[in-house]
Amino acid sequence: MTLALDPAVQELAGLVHAGRVVVLSGAGLSTESGIPDYRGPSGALRRHAPMTYQAFVGSPEARRRYWARSYLGWAQIAGARPNAGHVAVAQLQERGRLDGIITQNVDGLHQAAGARDVIELHGGLDAVVCLECGDREGRAPLGERLAAINDAFVAEVRRVNPDGDADVPDEQLDGFRLAGCRGCGSELLKPDVVFFGENVPRPRVDNCFALVESAACLLVLGSSLTVLSGFRFVRRAAALDVPVAIVNQGPTRGDELAALKVDAPLGEVLPALVR
Ligand SMILES: [Zn+2]
């Protein structure tokens, strides 16, 4: 049976065609762009624990190592291109079926596919903020400044995580030099993403709740919903009897709350929905 004739996909097509859909996407949407998931079929678990906000702010050494790994991982994130799933989401938005797009991803691939007004729940890797003076700089120009002072730095990248953090043995990070803020010189530069141990800014959360509360359907794409920051929107939708549809490979924390579950590759399901 072809995917388009699958009863669950047909039911999903009916929901999406009716419109007022809010998308909540996760790392599984970007795996077909070559960005590994944390837990999905293509991703073994990362080798080191993710950076926490407290460690990042509290330790210059932790910060230097983070930036060394991020410097190495950036090429893969910056070089990733949107896949058929991202393109399909942008097309559904273009056709007026979507009321909003919320993403847990920090890779910018929804926008690269042409989607508008994307809410990046956990921020985006394309910008860097100085925690000292508030200056914002693009990730690309900072990358050039880092390259200029690290031309002798080499390391062996084992894998790159979806947050752009590369798995590299600590001892290979020793020679890396961190650049300072272009405004005040401080080395308290942080990617504009929400770290573990840090809260999503309240206005951003409220904005997402408002979208979910007025939606006709919450469509979860490629997320196991392990992290509460995304799962709470599924809970809210279910509590308000807004139907939740989930397209994900493998089980998710929201399965029991979902009206509909499709376990198939997003790069196949989403283009079928557009057709
Ligand atoms: Zn500064």
Side-chain angles (χ1 to χ4, degrees):
M1 182 165 62
T2 67
L3 190 64
L5 296 175
D6 183 291
V9 173
Q10 289 197 326
E11 194 182 341
L12 182 60
L15 279 173
V16 171
H17 185 72
R20 289 173 48 221
V21 173
V22 170
V23 164
L24 171 64
S25 68
L29 184 58
S30 292
T31 52
E32 290 167 50
S33 293
I35 298 177
D37 197 349
Y38 292 112
R39 307 172 184 82
S42 69
L45 280 173
R46 63 197 301 154
R47 289 196 175 84
H48 63 265
M51 175 64 68
T52 66
Y53 180 78
Q54 290 74 15
F56 187 84
V57 172
S59 160
E61 182 57 17
R63 225 160 34 237
R64 198 184 57 77
R65 283 186 173 165
Y66 172 87
W67 274 115
R69 297 196 305 267
S70 176
Y71 174 72
L72 294 164
W74 172 247
Q76 183 163 344
I77 300 291
R81 293 291 167 258
N83 63 55
H86 296 109
V87 171
V89 170
Q91 287 172 333
L92 291 174
Q93 184 183 45
E94 185 64 32
R95 295 178 190 188
R97 304 298 180 217
L98 307 186
D99 268 8
I101 301 170
I102 304 166
T103 186
Q104 299 171 281
N105 300 339
V106 294
D107 53 36
L109 291 177
H110 274 300
Q111 299 93 314
R116 290 163 284 109
D117 304 323
V118 177
I119 300 180
E120 295 183 297
L121 190 61
H122 298 150
L125 278 176
D126 58 338
V128 177
V129 184
C130 173
L131 298 180
E132 200 68 50
C133 75
D135 181 56
R136 281 172 64 90
E137 180 180 14
R139 180 64 181 78
L142 174 66
E144 287 169 17
R145 296 201 290 120
L146 289 172
I149 56 174
N150 286 288
D151 55 342
F153 176 68
V154 285
E156 171 210 351
V157 176
R158 290 166 173 167
R159 102 183 252 280
V160 177
N161 294 292
D163 55 2
D165 195 355
D167 280 328
V168 180
D170 267 357
E171 65 273 13
Q172 291 189 20
L173 301 176
D174 287 344
F176 185 78
R177 291 180 58 207
L178 184 49
C181 168
R182 59 184 179 167
C184 73
S186 166
E187 288 193 346
L188 269 170
L189 294 179
K190 179 178 172 291
D192 193 17
V193 298
V194 176
F195 279 14
F196 282 81
E198 188 180 13
N199 290 321
V200 177
R202 195 68 226 179
R204 199 182 296 165
V205 176
D206 290 343
N207 199 356
C208 294
F209 272 130
L211 274 176
V212 169
E213 285 164 6
S214 65
C217 169
L218 177 61
L219 176 58
V220 178
L221 302 177
S223 174
S224 56
L225 298 168
T226 312
V227 184
L228 187 65
S229 67
F231 182 52
R232 58 186 155 182
F233 302 120
V234 172
R235 273 187 177 159
R236 179 67 62 93
L240 296 172
D241 289 325
V242 173
V244 176
I246 299 177
V247 186
N248 189 63
Q249 287 187 278
T252 85
R253 196 179 176 189
D255 287 356
E256 285 180 6
L257 299 173
L260 186 63
K261 172 80 191 284
V262 176
D263 194 324
L266 287 156
E268 294 172 22
V269 174
L270 293 174
L273 285 184
V274 173
R275 286 194 294 272

